[in-house]
Amino acid sequence: MAVKIKLARFGKIREPYYRIVVADSRTRRSGRAIEAIGKYHPKADPSVIEIDSARALYWLSVGAQPTESVEALLKVTGDWQKHKGLPGTEGTLRPQPEKVDKKALYEAAMASIGEDDNNSATTQRKRAPKAETPAEAPAESAESAPTAE
């Protein structure tokens, strides 16, 4: 059986993401796979490339052939150079930026505009709350209304 390491496409139209899978070469592109060894998100900036190096090197050592696109990804991560014994095993993968803490950003924004003494809402209310409830209002008005006798 000829085994290939290829990309299986997932996602929506114009929002693709791929799994790097080991599959029989005769199966369709996103068909049944033997094992998923990584993922690739090309739309992110920088692109997300996560490959399980140990599994990729195992499959390459037993004869699995990567497709051209997977071979390019393996060169970026440095796994292809490890397999071939070439220099440059650290790869050229750019790190993902650190995620910002949204709570810290909010607190910094509130501190920059100056906080109020009371913890009020950031937007003003449209209506003032009513002083009386509707059930109590007719009973009081009937008692206080003068009778015309």
Side-chain angles (χ1 to χ4, degrees), residues 9-18 39-49 73 94 96:
R9 188 185 193 282
F10 293 89
K12 300 185 288 187
I13 295 174
R14 291 185 265 307
E15 288 296 325
Y17 64 92
Y18 299 91
K39 61 182 180 178
Y40 171 53
H41 294 266
K43 289 289 193 167
D45 187 37
S47 298
V48 176
I49 302 171
L73 293 175
R94 291 191 325 190
Q96 294 295 317

Side-chain angles (χ1 to χ4, degrees), residues 69-81:
S69 54
V70 172
E71 186 177 335
L73 293 175
L74 290 172
K75 286 179 182 177
V76 168
T77 60
D79 294 326
W80 185 253
Q81 290 89 329

Side-chain angles (χ1 to χ4, degrees), residues 67-140:
T67 60
E68 290 178 10
S69 54
V70 172
E71 186 177 335
L73 293 175
L74 290 172
K75 286 179 182 177
V76 168
T77 60
D79 294 326
W80 185 253
Q81 290 89 329
K82 284 180 194 172
H83 172 66
K84 291 292 186 179
L86 301 172
T89 57
E90 64 277 349
T92 58
L93 182 64
R94 291 191 325 190
Q96 294 295 317
E98 291 187 25
K99 292 186 177 183
V100 294
D101 185 22
K102 291 182 181 179
K103 186 175 181 180
L105 277 176
Y106 173 75
E107 290 171 355
M110 291 304 291
S112 68
I113 61 170
E115 292 190 36
D116 295 333
D117 292 337
N118 57 0
N119 291 332
S120 61
T122 55
T123 57
Q124 298 294 326
R125 294 184 112 177
K126 295 196 179 201
R127 286 188 236 157
K130 289 187 176 182
E132 300 175 348
T133 59
E136 295 173 1
E140 292 177 11

